[in-house]
Structure formats: structure tokens, C-alpha cells
């Protein structure tokens, strides 16, 4: 069965029949804190940890579990747990695997607030972070110390789109018993399978493509068998709660992920090709373009690309000129996040610790939504006219 069909062909229908519940196409949302036990003996066993079923609202009710199961299958993992945001998924991963005295390696193109958490919060608990170049591969070995416990990757990074040599990094990490985690939000588990490339933990901001409608904040962590119990025990300890209603929406989004992602990909490539022919544009930064420095790694490891990419202008523009360009766009919203049906734009100079390909240059980041790409091109074309 193809993956897109497998996403839709879920176990809920069979389960609902077994449980003699009405077989609605979508599972019910349980709005619940207290879960009633069948009898006193069952409640006592639950108290001693000798009970399989949900014991409380934070113990993941039906929709959470169905969503986790669907994501676990897609990522090819041992266990998946959902979190109230993508950032929370990153933080929970770091908290689960790190302890005082550990050293952490994070790629320089990682999601900013995640990196900030490492530097400003984990440092308070005597965990030191070193930042490594975003296109790193086997040379990571030089950055590893005896106390290095975790490597956090993001490939491609969601602002500058460098790609890491995931296979080379995980080979080194495995040999040294270092946990590897990768933020897989850009490609989604449909286009990249980090665990199959040797990564131990795959992190998703479900907020983006999986939920797909810019109305849910959620994250997911999928772990391999090696670290499955460590992570799920830690997650249970924290009693992390991700609202049922949001899980329902994410599950609804997941059903259409395949078709949406294909359209995001096709439209983004169409807009990227148009930008490449634009004389005011400097570099179009898209992993699926042969001109991308790590295109060979993209071709080797990824099954497809999504709707998020960047470009630089051929010359730097002033704040006022950029504002004129951005404000004149009709179809592109100006706002953070991405992965929804609406096209979005951000533009900024990147702050980097390691040498950057785009040092000192403004990168315009486009999320290509589900509007017709010809309308988006016409919109960008009109906006380009406002620039000298
Ligand atoms: C690559 C990446 N990872 C994680 C996150 C955090 O996700 P959330 O907004 O769900 O906290 C974001 C948010 O923009 C992101 O771009």
C-alpha cells in the first residue's frame, strides 16, 4: 500500500467497531480529565503502574493515541509522543536525554528559539552547547568531546536551507553512543525518513504541514527502539498534555498531507524557477535546485521538497525599499511559521556564529501556499517593480 493510502486507512474504524462505538469516519474528541476505572482493583493496579489503558486526561486519550500511532508509522519509529508545540517537542527531547555536565552540539541553522533554549536555559543546568556549521558531515568528529551526549540537526534549516550529511553524522554518533535528533519539519516524514538514515529521534513541528491550516500549535517526537523507553518514560513523568481538539485537527490535516505537500512542492518549484530568471534576484536558495550546494545530499536522502525556500536580491536594499516590496504583495501574508495553505513571506539578515554563505545578505523566505502559482508570480513580479 502506498503511504498516502496508509495514512488514511487507519485502525480507528476497526477499533470503533470492536468498542461498539458509532463508526464515524473521524474519531471522537474526548474532552476529559478524569477517566473512570471499571472497579477498585483496577484503580489500585493503575496506581501501581500495572495497567495499560489511559488513567487520566494527561495519559493521552483516544485521538492523541491515534495521531501518535499514525505519525509513528510514517516515521518508521518505535514510539511517537505529541507535544503542545514544535518548540516543546525540541525542548522535551533535549530534557529527556541530557543531564548536568553533558555537552551538546547544535547546527547553526537550527530553529532559533530551540538554540536559544540550549544557550539560555540548559546552560543553567551545567549543559554546554557548541554550535556547528549547518552543512556539516563526517568532520563533526572534530567537535565531539568525551562528554558530548546529543547532536541536534535540522536539515534543511528553515531559513538558509543548508543540508547536513545525515548518514555520515549518525555513523560517527552511533560509534560514540551519542544521541542524534533531527528537526524533520521541512520535509515531513513523507519526504525524509531520518530514522532510516540512522537518526535516533525525529522531531516535527506538526503546526506546519501536518496540521496544514495555521490554526494549531503542536509538535511530535518519534524515537527509535534504542531510545524508545528512555523517551516515553520521561514524557510520562512530565505528564505533557496536548489538547484533544488540536490532535483531532492535526489528524484531519494528516489525511490530506500527501496531496497538499505535492502541490506545495510543484508550486514552489515553479516560483523558484521564475525567480531564477529575475534580474533583481541574486541567489535562489532551494535544495531541489541543482545550483544548491548540497543538492547531491538532497537527491540522495530526500523523496521530495516542500513549499519553503529563500532568495537573496542581486543588491542589498534599504529597510524602506524592502518594506515597499513586502507591503505591496497581495497574496503573501507577512507572518511567522509556514506549512499552511496561505503563502507567507519573511525577510531578514541571518545572525550566525559559524561562517555563512549569506553573511550580511538579506534572505527573503517564501512559503508557497496553495494559491495558483501564476497568481503568486504575478504578485511577486508587481512587487519587484517597486524596487530600483
Ligand atoms: C524548523 C522549525 N522547527 C520547529 C519550529 C517550532 O514549531 P512551533 O511553532 O510548533 O513551536 C518551527 C517554527 O517555526 C520551525 O520552523
Amino acid at each position: 500500500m502506498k503511504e498516502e493510502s496508509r495514512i488514511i486507512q487507519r485502525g480507528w474504524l476497526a477499533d470503533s467497531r470492536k468498542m461498539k462505538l458509532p463508526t464515524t469516519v473521524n474519531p471522537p474528541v474526548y474532552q476529559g480529565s478524569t477517566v473512570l476505572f471499571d472497579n477498585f482493583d483496577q484503580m489500585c493496579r493503575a496506581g501501581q503502574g500495572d495497567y495499560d489503558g489511559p488513567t487520566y486526561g494527561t495519559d493521552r486519550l483516544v485521538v492523541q493515541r491515534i495521531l501518535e500511532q499514525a505519525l509513528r508509522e510514517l516515521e518508521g519509529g518505535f514510539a511517537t509522543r505529541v507535544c503542545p508545540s514544535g518548540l516543546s517537542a525540541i525542548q522535551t527531547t533535549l530534557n529527556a536525554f541530557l543531564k548536568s555536565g553533558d555537552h551538546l552540539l547544535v547546527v547553526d541553522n537550527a530553529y532559533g528559539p530551540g538554540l536559544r533554549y540550549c544557550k539560555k536555559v540548559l546552560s543553567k543546568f551545567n549543559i554546554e552547547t557548541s554550535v556547528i556549521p549547518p552543512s556539516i558531515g563526517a568532520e563533526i568528529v572534530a567537535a565531539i568531546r568525551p562528554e558530548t551526549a546529543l547532536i541536534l540537526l535540522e536539515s534543511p534549516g528553515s531559513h538558509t536551507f543548508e543540508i547536513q550529511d545525515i548518514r555520515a553524522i549518525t555513523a560517527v554518533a552511533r560509534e560514540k553512543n551519542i544521541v542524534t535528533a533531527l528537526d524533520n519539519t521541512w520535509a515531513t516524514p513523507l519526504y525524509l525518513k531520518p530514522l532510516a538514515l540512522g537518526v535516533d529521534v525525529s522531531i516535527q513541528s506538526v503546526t506546519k504541514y501536518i496540521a496544514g491550516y495555521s490554526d494549531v500549535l503542536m509538535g511530535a517526537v518519534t524515537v527509535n527502539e534504542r531510545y524508545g523507553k528512555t523517551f516515553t518514560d520521561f514524557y510520562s513523568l512530565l505528564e505533557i498534555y496536548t489538547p484533544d481538539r488540536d490532535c483531532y485537527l492535526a489528524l484531519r490535516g494528516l489525511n490530506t498531507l500527501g496531496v497538499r505537500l505535492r502541490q506545495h512542492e510543484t508550486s514552489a518549484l515553479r516560483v523558484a524557477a521564475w525567480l531564477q530568471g529575475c534580474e533583481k534576484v541574486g541567489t535562489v536558495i532551494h535544495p531541489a535546485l541543482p545550483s544548491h550546494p548540497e543538492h547531491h545530499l538532497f537527491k540522495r536522502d530526500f523523496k521530495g521538497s516542500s513549499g519553503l525556500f529563500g532568495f537573496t536580491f542581486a543588491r542589498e536594499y534599504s529597510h524602506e525599499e524592502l518594506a515597499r516590496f513586502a507591503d505591496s504583495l497581495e497574496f503573501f501574508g507577512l507572518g511567522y511559521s509556514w506549512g499552511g495553505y496561505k503563502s507567507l513571506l519573511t525577510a531578514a539578515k541571518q545572525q550566525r556564529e559559524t561562517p555563512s554563505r549569506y553573511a550580511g545578505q538579506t534572505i527573503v523566505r517564501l512559503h508557497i501556499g496553495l494559491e495558483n502559482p501564476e497568481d503568486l508570480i504575478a504578485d511577486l513580479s508587481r512587487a519587484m517593480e517597486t524596487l530600483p
Side-chain angles (χ1 to χ4, degrees), residues 328-348:
S328 71
L329 289 161
E330 187 186 337
F331 285 92
F332 289 85
L334 306 180
Y336 298 124
S337 206
W338 39 282
Y341 57 84
K342 177 155 184 60
S343 290
L344 297 170
L345 175 144
T346 59

Side-chain angles (χ1 to χ4, degrees), residues 5-24:
S5 313
R6 197 142 53 82
I7 293 177
I8 292 171
Q9 209 62 30
R10 242 179 264 111
W12 153 247
L13 301 182
D15 287 348
S16 65
R17 288 190 182 109
K18 246 187 280 163
M19 292 187 272
K20 298 208 178 340
L21 293 171
T23 308
T24 46

Side-chain angles (χ1 to χ4, degrees), residues 94 104 106 114-123 127 129:
L94 297 168
L104 162 71
V106 184
L115 189 51
R116 199 162 61 215
Y117 177 75
C118 299
K119 289 183 180 167
K120 302 242 182 229
V121 181
L122 293 181
S123 57
I127 295 165
T129 300

